[in-house]
Amino acid sequence: MLSACETGLVDPGDLADEYVGLPAGFVQAGAPSVVSSLWAVDDISTALLMSRFYQYYLGDVTRRAAPMRPSLALSKAQAWLRRELTLEQVTTYISQQEKKLRAEHQYMSLGKLGKTKRQILSDNQPHPFADPYYWAAFIVLGAA
């Protein structure tokens, strides 16, 4: 799984260096599938999306949910991010991350996280990551 920005893109003008592209290279090397992104993505929404993706993909033992195919797990995680994740849940997650970063003296990351938190709170949307910008960049390449 590649959750970094623009890992699913191939520049057709630069075919000498990346004819195949990073995700296709992983698939050709034996990975059954790869989740990648098509544009620069938000750190917080990506962390939440990928966490939920892995819960679906690996199966949730606590809820006795069976593992899912990557394409279905991604689809369900995207639906959760845009329709179910609430502003309260996001702010709770960010507060937990802030405590962790303070304990680790990661002040640059803490500043970036604070900026994201202020933006989310100022928007005051019930589902802060409903916009496709936050979830639609991710695709599955390989075995569905």
Side-chain angles (χ1 to χ4, degrees), residues 36-39 41 49 78 81 131-139:
S36 60
S37 67
L38 299 176
W39 57 79
V41 291
L49 178 71
Q78 289 170 319
L81 189 76
D131 189 282
Y133 162 76
Y134 295 105
W135 54 267
F138 296 92
I139 60 168

Side-chain angles (χ1 to χ4, degrees), residues 38-134:
L38 299 176
W39 57 79
V41 291
D42 175 75
D43 292 341
I44 300 295
S45 62
T46 299
L48 292 163
L49 178 71
M50 290 300 110
S51 176
R52 186 54 60 120
F53 165 78
Y54 275 111
Q55 287 176 359
Y56 291 133
Y57 175 64
L58 298 174
D60 191 342
V61 177
T62 59
R63 294 189 331 226
R64 296 185 182 179
M68 295 180 183
R69 295 183 326 271
S71 57
L72 181 58
L74 180 61
S75 178
K76 286 183 67 74
Q78 289 170 319
W80 169 81
L81 189 76
R82 70 180 188 259
R83 294 187 195 132
E84 297 176 38
L85 184 66
T86 65
L87 177 60
E88 182 180 337
Q89 291 170 313
V90 173
T91 55
T92 298
Y93 172 80
I94 291 173
S95 295
Q96 292 169 346
Q97 294 304 307
E98 286 174 327
K99 288 178 187 175
K100 181 179 175 184
L101 290 171
R102 275 192 194 93
E104 296 172 356
H105 305 289
Q106 298 286 329
Y107 300 113
M108 288 180 65
S109 297
L110 189 60
K112 185 176 180 181
L113 189 62
K115 182 179 177 184
T116 302
K117 183 178 181 179
R118 286 189 298 279
Q119 179 64 44
I120 289 168
L121 291 173
S122 69
D123 290 346
N124 199 28
Q125 297 295 317
H127 301 285
F129 298 128
D131 189 282
Y133 162 76
Y134 295 105

